[in-house]
Each structure stands twice: as structure tokens, then as C-alpha cells.
Amino acid sequence: MKKFFFIAACAVAVSAAAWAQSESCNAQTTTENCCNAGESTECCAAVGTFDVQDFGNFKLHTYLSGDQMDDASFIIEGADSLVTMEQPLFKANAATYDKYIKSLGKPVAHRISDFHLGNTGAETLLVPAGMTEVFKGPEYSGMMAHFANQYGDAIVALPTGKTEEVAFDTTVTLAGVPFTFTKGASNDFPGADILIGKDVVYMHFAPAKAHTNALYASSVAGVEARIAELEQALATGAKLFVGSHGLPGTADDVRFLIDYLKKVQQLRASQSDAESFVTALTAAYPGLPGADGLGDFAKALYAAE
């Protein structure tokens, strides 16, 4: 079983401050989001950032938490109801997220926990096939216990609701929007890559034009698994690729990452040690962000011999 991953994410264009201080609710735009009227005092404590993209038959609301683990959460808005996905873990973020949901004025029809447990309370969770046992298992439970020990009352209580599993290669319609669950990368928890409508793919990690690290792939087999996942996602023809870690990406970002990981494979085969691998990969991508994590990435690749 693989460990849980963390990737730093940056803020999107819509600031929480602008959302919180808006005088009237206008959750229909991509440039301004707000709380319910009369809640300005509470809203001024809002944290994180929201971005909204309209795909015609649904809107995708992306919440970048800015929490200690830089997690992202999502709201899929259908015509009459909402689907939440990967709800926040920290109480401050959960409060902001829940207030934002209230501002949309529609009921939550379903809640999806793909890789992350969050502030879903006693609500029923839709999860990919196999994740019920993972959530209950020693590694995930141990990880959550570690978070509780490290962050104390800052994080929400673990969910208590039942789970309903969705089989891979299955499409379910939620809030009037099709969600297709396909198997994610084989080097990750058995979570799903989810095609939302025809335009958005959710993966554990959003693709980015940056160096990867040992948390994303820690072996030659892991690199191969990530390439397969990215190629599967690209084949959907989606326009946007989002993840619980990282900023939303485009098809161009996916193609870049596929090419990058294939270069990693080539250099791993041609370079005799981790140090020469780092030198060669850095030379192949001069100025690419994330170079500070290459040392550990290389050590992991060469330790797997």
C-alpha cells in the first residue's frame, strides 16, 4: 500500500478576501464569489480560494484550501443540486467551504471521497471500489491518527457515515452530471480517476509543468504507472485536469508530464547513479520548477534496483 501524498499548491485568481467581503452573493461568475448576505462578520474569517468554471451542463467550483497540506476540494454544481468531492480536513477550511455551499442555494445530493476523508460527518460517501477497506485499514487509520496528534483540534472529526462503492469503468449520474470512475495509477491507493461530464478529469495529482518527486513516483514501475494514468486521462478528450494536490492543468500540461516521465525513464536507463541522473534531468529541463526535490526522487529510483 502506498503512502498518502502532499504537493504544494498556489492560490488561484479569486481570493477568499474578495469572496468574503462581497456585499451580495453572485456565485454564478468566475470572478467574484461571496457568502450569504448578512454573514459578513463570519465570512471575513474565510480562508482559502475559490475558482468557478462553467462547462454548460455543470459548473466546477475548485477550492484551494491553503491549509498545512495544500489540499484542494471541489463542488460540482448541476441544475438543481450539488456534488461535493474531497471535502476539507481542517476546521477553518471546512467552515469556509460549507458557507460557500450555502451561498449556492442548492442541496447537496452526493458526497464523493476518492482519496481523502474530510468534513462529511454522518453523510453517506460514494467511494471507488476497494476504498472502504483502505479507509478502515491500518495505514490510512494510522495516517489520520498522526494528523490528529499533529494538528489536534484544528482538524475535523473522522466521518461516521456509511460508504457506497462505485465499480471501476462505471458511469453514475449525480446531480444530472455523468461521473465515470476509472482505475487510478497502480502505485497509488486504489482510488479512481473520475471523468466529470466530458470536460474534466479528476486525478489525485493535477498535472503540472514541474519536476516530479518521490511522493508521486518512487520507483521505475511507479513512473510507468503514472505515464499509463496520464495517457488514460488524455484519451478522454477532457479540457481540464484537476487534482487534490496542485493547480488545475490543461491537456498541454498532461502531454508535457508524459514526455517528462518518459525522459525520466530514458535517463534512469542511461545514467549509472542518482547523482548523474539529477545532473542529466536538470540539464534536459533548465529552469523547471521543483528541482529541489530531485535528489530524493533520484535516490528512490536507484534504491529500487
Side-chain angles (χ1 to χ4, degrees), residues 242-297:
V242 301
S244 290
H245 308 288
L247 292 171
T250 65
D252 187 53
D253 294 317
V254 176
R255 285 188 286 267
F256 173 88
L257 188 50
I258 291 170
D259 290 342
Y260 171 91
L261 292 174
K262 288 182 178 179
K263 174 62 73 173
V264 166
Q265 289 179 317
Q266 294 170 6
L267 294 178
R268 175 60 183 82
S270 65
Q271 302 302 309
S272 60
D273 54 45
E275 184 177 351
S276 61
F277 170 87
V278 171
T279 299
L281 188 58
T282 303
Y285 295 94
L288 192 68
D292 55 339
L294 285 181
D296 288 340
F297 179 48

Side-chain angles (χ1 to χ4, degrees), residues 130-199:
M131 280 303 290
T132 301
E133 290 305 311
V134 171
F135 285 148
K136 294 177 180 178
E139 184 173 4
Y140 203 100
S141 297
M143 178 185 69
M144 297 304 287
H146 170 72
F147 291 161
N149 182 63
Q150 184 172 3
Y151 299 116
D153 289 340
I155 63 173
V156 299
L158 286 176
T160 58
K162 67 178 182 179
T163 59
E164 294 181 357
E165 295 196 350
V166 179
F168 294 116
D169 301 319
T170 296
T171 299
V172 293
T173 300
L174 311 173
V177 181
F179 290 70
T180 301
F181 284 61
T182 56
K183 185 71 176 68
S186 60
N187 66 324
D188 210 336
F189 284 123
D193 288 355
I194 304 175
L195 175 63
I196 305 169
K198 297 180 180 179
D199 301 300

Side-chain angles (χ1 to χ4, degrees), residues 58-244:
F58 71 95
K59 292 178 182 176
L60 177 70
H61 303 253
T62 300
Y63 175 53
L64 297 180
S65 67
D67 67 18
Q68 289 91 327
M69 293 178 282
D70 284 308
D71 286 344
S73 300
F74 305 91
I75 303 161
I76 295 85
E77 180 183 358
D80 302 311
S81 57
L82 310 172
V83 177
T84 72
M85 191 163 67
E86 308 295 82
Q87 291 190 201
L89 177 64
F90 286 82
K91 289 180 179 178
N93 300 105
T96 296
Y97 183 85
D98 288 346
K99 285 183 180 296
Y100 183 84
I101 287 177
K102 186 178 179 182
S103 79
L104 296 177
K106 297 178 181 180
V108 176
H110 302 278
R111 302 176 192 269
I112 298 173
S113 283
D114 194 350
F115 290 96
H116 295 183
L117 293 175
N119 67 314
T120 55
E123 300 292 336
T124 297
L125 295 177
L126 293 181
V127 304
M131 280 303 290
T132 301
E133 290 305 311
V134 171
F135 285 148
K136 294 177 180 178
E139 184 173 4
Y140 203 100
S141 297
M143 178 185 69
M144 297 304 287
H146 170 72
F147 291 161
N149 182 63
Q150 184 172 3
Y151 299 116
D153 289 340
I155 63 173
V156 299
L158 286 176
T160 58
K162 67 178 182 179
T163 59
E164 294 181 357
E165 295 196 350
V166 179
F168 294 116
D169 301 319
T170 296
T171 299
V172 293
T173 300
L174 311 173
V177 181
F179 290 70
T180 301
F181 284 61
T182 56
K183 185 71 176 68
S186 60
N187 66 324
D188 210 336
F189 284 123
D193 288 355
I194 304 175
L195 175 63
I196 305 169
K198 297 180 180 179
D199 301 300
V200 180
V201 171
Y202 166 82
M203 299 180 282
H204 195 178
F205 297 92
K209 291 178 180 176
H211 285 292
T212 191
N213 56 51
L215 301 177
Y216 183 68
S218 59
S219 67
V220 173
V223 172
E224 183 176 353
R226 291 298 181 184
I227 292 172
E229 177 189 33
L230 292 164
E231 290 179 336
Q232 172 182 268
L234 190 62
T236 65
K239 301 173 183 176
L240 189 70
F241 300 81
V242 301
S244 290

